[in-house]
Structure formats: C-alpha cells, structure tokens
Amino acid sequence: KQEQFLIAGFRQEEFVENVADWLRHIVANSEKIDSIVKEWKSYIRNEPQAMSSVNLSAVVRSAVELMSYHINRATDNFRLQLEEPIPTIRGNAQQLEQVVINLILNACQALPDREKTVVVATSADRDRDSVLLRIRDQGCGISEEDLQRITEPMFTTKKQSGGIGLGLYITDSIVKEHGGTLHFTSAPGRGTQVVVTFPREESK
C-alpha cells in the first residue's frame, strides 16, 4: 500500500480534489480583497467616498460570500436571514461591506467550537424609518468593563492573537459617517449581539 503524505495539512487525494476549486475562489476574490484594502487605506487617509443608494441585504450577501472560508472554518451553524425587499440606505457599498466583514469575523473568532451558532440578519423598522443589521453569536461573550471600551482606538481583547484594536474603532466610525449607530449586548459565556441601525434613504 502506497504511503500517504500530507500537503498543507490535507491528505493527498483531498488536496488534489479541492485545489482547483480553491484556486477559483482565490482568483474570484483577489480583486475584491484588493479593493477592500484600498478602501480601508483611503478611509484612514480620510478621502471622500462616493455615496449611492444601497441595498443592505445585498451588501451582507456579498460580504458573506467573501467570508465563506472563515465562516466554514469557524462554525457548522451559520444562519443568514435577509429581508427582501428592503428599503435602501444612503451610503458607500464597499465601506458598508467592510463593516459587515469585520463584525462577522469578530463573531466567528469568538466561537469556542464549531457547534455554536452565528446568525446574520437584516430587517426594516418602518415605524422608525430605519434599516437594521443584526449579528448574533454564541461565543465567549464580552465583560461589561470591556464592552464599554470596545470601540476605542487601540483597545483589543485579542492581543494574544495579534489584534491591534482598530477594527471596531473604524467600523464604528464608518457607521457614524453613514448616520447610523452601533450597539453591543453581551455577557461572558452568553455570546454577543451587535445591532447596527441606519437611517432609511429618503424617497425622491
């Protein structure tokens, strides 16, 4: 029997079967990732961004597709609940996508095992003319003390894993620039929910 060996941690047959699909995903997402990096850099430089009518559910769907590898590595229980049709908001689609990506990544990184759940949902609050994004995880949770500082620049609970404390600060800044709010509810051992609220675009 031929001795088996591992390639990048995968069995030889598994690697051969999947490598073509992996490469297709790399090619499909490389330009998008490059665009996101450029958008983050331009945001840090405070360059003006083009604003347009944005479908938040479509933005979330695009972000989830880009994050599929990270999601699949983190959990077997990822749920997507997108309201369609949904009122549009006024914003920059790429910046909003970055907000969604960062919040999903945080949720995935908080999970202690693959059995835990992440739920990402969009909805409209028509009474308040608002559009909402909710991301809920069954992760390790955040202490009340840390929760009060979570969007401060350079504050991080992930120093051991290389966190630098800019992700949620920039996320919160982008949300505020879009006239929105970012609200966290959490407790240690009970998971976290973040609700992002944006004003509905005014009808023309």
Side-chain angles (χ1 to χ4, degrees), residues 3 6 21 38 45-46 53 58 69-70 86 110 135 140 155 159 162 166 176 189 196-197:
E3 185 178 353
L6 299 179
D21 189 52
K38 289 178 180 177
R45 291 194 297 264
N46 201 29
S53 295
Y69 174 78
H70 297 280
I86 193 168
I135 299 179
C140 57
F155 177 79
K159 289 182 180 178
L166 285 177
K176 287 177 178 176
V196 190
T197 305

PDB file of all heavy atoms in Angstrom, residues 3 6 21 38 45-46 53 58 69-70 86 110 135 140 155 159 162 166 176 189 196-197:
ATOM      1  N   GLU A   3       2.281   4.719   0.758  1.00  0.00           N
ATOM      2  CA  GLU A   3       2.248   5.547   1.956  1.00  0.00           C
ATOM      3  C   GLU A   3       1.638   6.909   1.645  1.00  0.00           C
ATOM      4  O   GLU A   3       1.958   7.544   0.642  1.00  0.00           O
ATOM      5  CB  GLU A   3       3.668   5.731   2.497  1.00  0.00           C
ATOM      6  CG  GLU A   3       3.712   6.488   3.809  1.00  0.00           C
ATOM      7  CD  GLU A   3       5.124   6.604   4.351  1.00  0.00           C
ATOM      8  OE1 GLU A   3       6.033   5.973   3.774  1.00  0.00           O
ATOM      9  OE2 GLU A   3       5.296   7.329   5.345  1.00  0.00           O
ATOM     10  N   LEU A   6       0.879  14.257   3.692  1.00  0.00           N
ATOM     11  CA  LEU A   6       0.033  15.441   3.778  1.00  0.00           C
ATOM     12  C   LEU A   6       0.608  16.583   2.957  1.00  0.00           C
ATOM     13  O   LEU A   6       1.818  16.757   2.878  1.00  0.00           O
ATOM     14  CB  LEU A   6      -0.113  15.879   5.238  1.00  0.00           C
ATOM     15  CG  LEU A   6      -0.760  14.875   6.197  1.00  0.00           C
ATOM     16  CD1 LEU A   6      -0.814  15.456   7.602  1.00  0.00           C
ATOM     17  CD2 LEU A   6      -2.156  14.474   5.737  1.00  0.00           C
ATOM     18  N   ASP A  21     -10.814  24.096  -7.094  1.00  0.00           N
ATOM     19  CA  ASP A  21     -11.877  24.935  -6.547  1.00  0.00           C
ATOM     20  C   ASP A  21     -11.303  26.044  -5.680  1.00  0.00           C
ATOM     21  O   ASP A  21     -11.762  27.179  -5.719  1.00  0.00           O
ATOM     22  CB  ASP A  21     -12.837  24.069  -5.729  1.00  0.00           C
ATOM     23  CG  ASP A  21     -14.086  24.837  -5.307  1.00  0.00           C
ATOM     24  OD1 ASP A  21     -14.730  25.445  -6.183  1.00  0.00           O
ATOM     25  OD2 ASP A  21     -14.395  24.839  -4.108  1.00  0.00           O
ATOM     26  N   LYS A  38      -7.759  48.860  -0.393  1.00  0.00           N
ATOM     27  CA  LYS A  38      -7.634  50.241  -0.851  1.00  0.00           C
ATOM     28  C   LYS A  38      -8.655  51.136  -0.162  1.00  0.00           C
ATOM     29  O   LYS A  38      -8.358  52.293   0.172  1.00  0.00           O
ATOM     30  CB  LYS A  38      -7.791  50.306  -2.366  1.00  0.00           C
ATOM     31  CG  LYS A  38      -6.611  49.715  -3.135  1.00  0.00           C
ATOM     32  CD  LYS A  38      -6.853  49.761  -4.630  1.00  0.00           C
ATOM     33  CE  LYS A  38      -5.665  49.170  -5.385  1.00  0.00           C
ATOM     34  NZ  LYS A  38      -5.911  49.148  -6.856  1.00  0.00           N
ATOM     35  N   ARG A  45      -6.961  57.651   5.414  1.00  0.00           N
ATOM     36  CA  ARG A  45      -6.469  58.942   4.919  1.00  0.00           C
ATOM     37  C   ARG A  45      -7.575  59.981   4.848  1.00  0.00           C
ATOM     38  O   ARG A  45      -7.354  61.116   4.441  1.00  0.00           O
ATOM     39  CB  ARG A  45      -5.843  58.760   3.527  1.00  0.00           C
ATOM     40  CG  ARG A  45      -4.540  57.978   3.527  1.00  0.00           C
ATOM     41  CD  ARG A  45      -3.830  58.145   2.202  1.00  0.00           C
ATOM     42  NE  ARG A  45      -4.608  57.614   1.096  1.00  0.00           N
ATOM     43  CZ  ARG A  45      -4.440  56.384   0.583  1.00  0.00           C
ATOM     44  NH1 ARG A  45      -3.536  55.578   1.104  1.00  0.00           N
ATOM     45  NH2 ARG A  45      -5.180  55.963  -0.413  1.00  0.00           N
ATOM     46  N   ASN A  46      -8.821  59.559   5.196  1.00  0.00           N
ATOM     47  CA  ASN A  46      -9.971  60.457   5.232  1.00  0.00           C
ATOM     48  C   ASN A  46     -10.318  61.000   3.852  1.00  0.00           C
ATOM     49  O   ASN A  46     -10.733  62.148   3.712  1.00  0.00           O
ATOM     50  CB  ASN A  46      -9.731  61.619   6.214  1.00  0.00           C
ATOM     51  CG  ASN A  46     -11.034  62.263   6.658  1.00  0.00           C
ATOM     52  OD1 ASN A  46     -12.070  61.606   6.709  1.00  0.00           O
ATOM     53  ND2 ASN A  46     -10.983  63.543   6.958  1.00  0.00           N
ATOM     54  N   SER A  53     -27.457  54.867  -3.475  1.00  0.00           N
ATOM     55  CA  SER A  53     -28.493  54.041  -2.851  1.00  0.00           C
ATOM     56  C   SER A  53     -27.961  52.625  -2.684  1.00  0.00           C
ATOM     57  O   SER A  53     -27.454  52.027  -3.634  1.00  0.00           O
ATOM     58  CB  SER A  53     -29.747  54.020  -3.726  1.00  0.00           C
ATOM     59  OG  SER A  53     -30.318  55.306  -3.807  1.00  0.00           O
ATOM     60  N   ALA A  58     -28.139  43.048   0.064  1.00  0.00           N
ATOM     61  CA  ALA A  58     -27.197  42.686  -0.993  1.00  0.00           C
ATOM     62  C   ALA A  58     -25.758  42.845  -0.521  1.00  0.00           C
ATOM     63  O   ALA A  58     -24.884  42.028  -0.848  1.00  0.00           O
ATOM     64  CB  ALA A  58     -27.446  43.548  -2.227  1.00  0.00           C
ATOM     65  N   TYR A  69     -14.904  31.185   3.533  1.00  0.00           N
ATOM     66  CA  TYR A  69     -13.829  30.320   4.034  1.00  0.00           C
ATOM     67  C   TYR A  69     -13.723  30.436   5.553  1.00  0.00           C
ATOM     68  O   TYR A  69     -13.669  29.421   6.263  1.00  0.00           O
ATOM     69  CB  TYR A  69     -12.507  30.697   3.371  1.00  0.00           C
ATOM     70  CG  TYR A  69     -11.311  29.960   3.942  1.00  0.00           C
ATOM     71  CD1 TYR A  69     -11.060  28.641   3.586  1.00  0.00           C
ATOM     72  CD2 TYR A  69     -10.457  30.588   4.839  1.00  0.00           C
ATOM     73  CE1 TYR A  69      -9.975  27.953   4.109  1.00  0.00           C
ATOM     74  CE2 TYR A  69      -9.361  29.905   5.367  1.00  0.00           C
ATOM     75  CZ  TYR A  69      -9.123  28.599   5.001  1.00  0.00           C
ATOM     76  OH  TYR A  69      -8.052  27.929   5.531  1.00  0.00           O
ATOM     77  N   HIS A  70     -13.696  31.666   6.067  1.00  0.00           N
ATOM     78  CA  HIS A  70     -13.572  31.878   7.500  1.00  0.00           C
ATOM     79  C   HIS A  70     -14.806  31.351   8.242  1.00  0.00           C
ATOM     80  O   HIS A  70     -14.689  30.767   9.329  1.00  0.00           O
ATOM     81  CB  HIS A  70     -13.392  33.364   7.804  1.00  0.00           C
ATOM     82  CG  HIS A  70     -12.133  33.946   7.230  1.00  0.00           C
ATOM     83  ND1 HIS A  70     -10.899  33.792   7.830  1.00  0.00           N
ATOM     84  CD2 HIS A  70     -11.910  34.660   6.098  1.00  0.00           C
ATOM     85  CE1 HIS A  70      -9.978  34.390   7.111  1.00  0.00           C
ATOM     86  NE2 HIS A  70     -10.564  34.923   6.057  1.00  0.00           N
ATOM     87  N   ILE A  86     -36.051  45.240   0.785  1.00  0.00           N
ATOM     88  CA  ILE A  86     -35.720  46.034   1.961  1.00  0.00           C
ATOM     89  C   ILE A  86     -35.475  47.468   1.517  1.00  0.00           C
ATOM     90  O   ILE A  86     -34.939  47.695   0.421  1.00  0.00           O
ATOM     91  CB  ILE A  86     -34.477  45.459   2.680  1.00  0.00           C
ATOM     92  CG1 ILE A  86     -34.313  46.071   4.073  1.00  0.00           C
ATOM     93  CG2 ILE A  86     -33.221  45.624   1.848  1.00  0.00           C
ATOM     94  CD1 ILE A  86     -33.278  45.339   4.936  1.00  0.00           C
ATOM     95  N   ALA A 110     -15.036  34.524  18.061  1.00  0.00           N
ATOM     96  CA  ALA A 110     -15.493  34.383  19.450  1.00  0.00           C
ATOM     97  C   ALA A 110     -16.015  32.989  19.770  1.00  0.00           C
ATOM     98  O   ALA A 110     -16.188  32.645  20.934  1.00  0.00           O
ATOM     99  CB  ALA A 110     -16.587  35.413  19.744  1.00  0.00           C
ATOM    100  N   ILE A 135     -26.130  40.895  14.122  1.00  0.00           N
ATOM    101  CA  ILE A 135     -25.216  39.757  14.097  1.00  0.00           C
ATOM    102  C   ILE A 135     -25.141  39.213  15.523  1.00  0.00           C
ATOM    103  O   ILE A 135     -24.744  39.915  16.441  1.00  0.00           O
ATOM    104  CB  ILE A 135     -23.819  40.152  13.589  1.00  0.00           C
ATOM    105  CG1 ILE A 135     -23.930  40.684  12.150  1.00  0.00           C
ATOM    106  CG2 ILE A 135     -22.858  38.953  13.659  1.00  0.00           C
ATOM    107  CD1 ILE A 135     -22.621  41.127  11.553  1.00  0.00           C
ATOM    108  N   CYS A 140     -17.829  33.493  23.288  1.00  0.00           N
ATOM    109  CA  CYS A 140     -17.362  33.602  24.674  1.00  0.00           C
ATOM    110  C   CYS A 140     -17.920  34.813  25.392  1.00  0.00           C
ATOM    111  O   CYS A 140     -17.896  34.890  26.618  1.00  0.00           O
ATOM    112  CB  CYS A 140     -15.839  33.646  24.696  1.00  0.00           C
ATOM    113  SG  CYS A 140     -15.129  34.985  23.704  1.00  0.00           S
ATOM    114  N   PHE A 155      -7.818  49.648  21.530  1.00  0.00           N
ATOM    115  CA  PHE A 155      -8.262  48.734  22.588  1.00  0.00           C
ATOM    116  C   PHE A 155      -8.630  47.402  21.952  1.00  0.00           C
ATOM    117  O   PHE A 155      -9.381  47.344  20.982  1.00  0.00           O
ATOM    118  CB  PHE A 155      -9.474  49.282  23.333  1.00  0.00           C
ATOM    119  CG  PHE A 155     -10.002  48.325  24.370  1.00  0.00           C
ATOM    120  CD1 PHE A 155      -9.376  48.217  25.598  1.00  0.00           C
ATOM    121  CD2 PHE A 155     -11.101  47.519  24.096  1.00  0.00           C
ATOM    122  CE1 PHE A 155      -9.837  47.322  26.552  1.00  0.00           C
ATOM    123  CE2 PHE A 155     -11.566  46.623  25.037  1.00  0.00           C
ATOM    124  CZ  PHE A 155     -10.936  46.527  26.279  1.00  0.00           C
ATOM    125  N   LYS A 159      -5.053  40.576  22.024  1.00  0.00           N
ATOM    126  CA  LYS A 159      -3.625  40.831  21.909  1.00  0.00           C
ATOM    127  C   LYS A 159      -2.830  39.561  21.657  1.00  0.00           C
ATOM    128  O   LYS A 159      -1.862  39.553  20.889  1.00  0.00           O
ATOM    129  CB  LYS A 159      -3.105  41.524  23.165  1.00  0.00           C
ATOM    130  CG  LYS A 159      -3.558  42.968  23.303  1.00  0.00           C
ATOM    131  CD  LYS A 159      -2.979  43.627  24.543  1.00  0.00           C
ATOM    132  CE  LYS A 159      -3.443  45.079  24.654  1.00  0.00           C
ATOM    133  NZ  LYS A 159      -2.912  45.727  25.883  1.00  0.00           N
ATOM    134  N   GLY A 162      -2.823  38.677  18.039  1.00  0.00           N
ATOM    135  CA  GLY A 162      -2.344  39.684  17.101  1.00  0.00           C
ATOM    136  C   GLY A 162      -3.276  40.845  16.859  1.00  0.00           C
ATOM    137  O   GLY A 162      -3.038  41.656  15.960  1.00  0.00           O
ATOM    138  N   LEU A 166      -8.072  48.222  16.070  1.00  0.00           N
ATOM    139  CA  LEU A 166      -8.557  49.234  15.134  1.00  0.00           C
ATOM    140  C   LEU A 166      -9.842  48.811  14.416  1.00  0.00           C
ATOM    141  O   LEU A 166     -10.572  49.656  13.917  1.00  0.00           O
ATOM    142  CB  LEU A 166      -7.485  49.568  14.088  1.00  0.00           C
ATOM    143  CG  LEU A 166      -6.331  50.439  14.570  1.00  0.00           C
ATOM    144  CD1 LEU A 166      -5.313  50.617  13.444  1.00  0.00           C
ATOM    145  CD2 LEU A 166      -6.816  51.787  15.066  1.00  0.00           C
ATOM    146  N   LYS A 176     -21.047  55.655  11.942  1.00  0.00           N
ATOM    147  CA  LYS A 176     -21.434  57.016  12.309  1.00  0.00           C
ATOM    148  C   LYS A 176     -21.434  57.939  11.098  1.00  0.00           C
ATOM    149  O   LYS A 176     -22.304  58.814  10.982  1.00  0.00           O
ATOM    150  CB  LYS A 176     -20.487  57.554  13.385  1.00  0.00           C
ATOM    151  CG  LYS A 176     -20.708  56.936  14.756  1.00  0.00           C
ATOM    152  CD  LYS A 176     -19.703  57.456  15.773  1.00  0.00           C
ATOM    153  CE  LYS A 176     -19.962  56.870  17.155  1.00  0.00           C
ATOM    154  NZ  LYS A 176     -18.938  57.287  18.145  1.00  0.00           N
ATOM    155  N   GLY A 189     -19.672  34.203  28.472  1.00  0.00           N
ATOM    156  CA  GLY A 189     -20.292  32.888  28.397  1.00  0.00           C
ATOM    157  C   GLY A 189     -21.670  32.863  27.780  1.00  0.00           C
ATOM    158  O   GLY A 189     -22.268  31.786  27.629  1.00  0.00           O
ATOM    159  N   VAL A 196     -26.702  47.124  14.235  1.00  0.00           N
ATOM    160  CA  VAL A 196     -26.304  48.325  13.500  1.00  0.00           C
ATOM    161  C   VAL A 196     -27.563  48.916  12.888  1.00  0.00           C
ATOM    162  O   VAL A 196     -28.292  48.226  12.164  1.00  0.00           O
ATOM    163  CB  VAL A 196     -25.280  48.010  12.404  1.00  0.00           C
ATOM    164  CG1 VAL A 196     -24.702  49.299  11.824  1.00  0.00           C
ATOM    165  CG2 VAL A 196     -24.159  47.126  12.939  1.00  0.00           C
ATOM    166  N   THR A 197     -27.826  50.184  13.174  1.00  0.00           N
ATOM    167  CA  THR A 197     -29.027  50.847  12.693  1.00  0.00           C
ATOM    168  C   THR A 197     -28.657  51.984  11.759  1.00  0.00           C
ATOM    169  O   THR A 197     -27.835  52.839  12.109  1.00  0.00           O
ATOM    170  CB  THR A 197     -29.845  51.407  13.870  1.00  0.00           C
ATOM    171  OG1 THR A 197     -30.125  50.355  14.790  1.00  0.00           O
ATOM    172  CG2 THR A 197     -31.158  52.005  13.382  1.00  0.00           C
TER     173      THR A 197
END
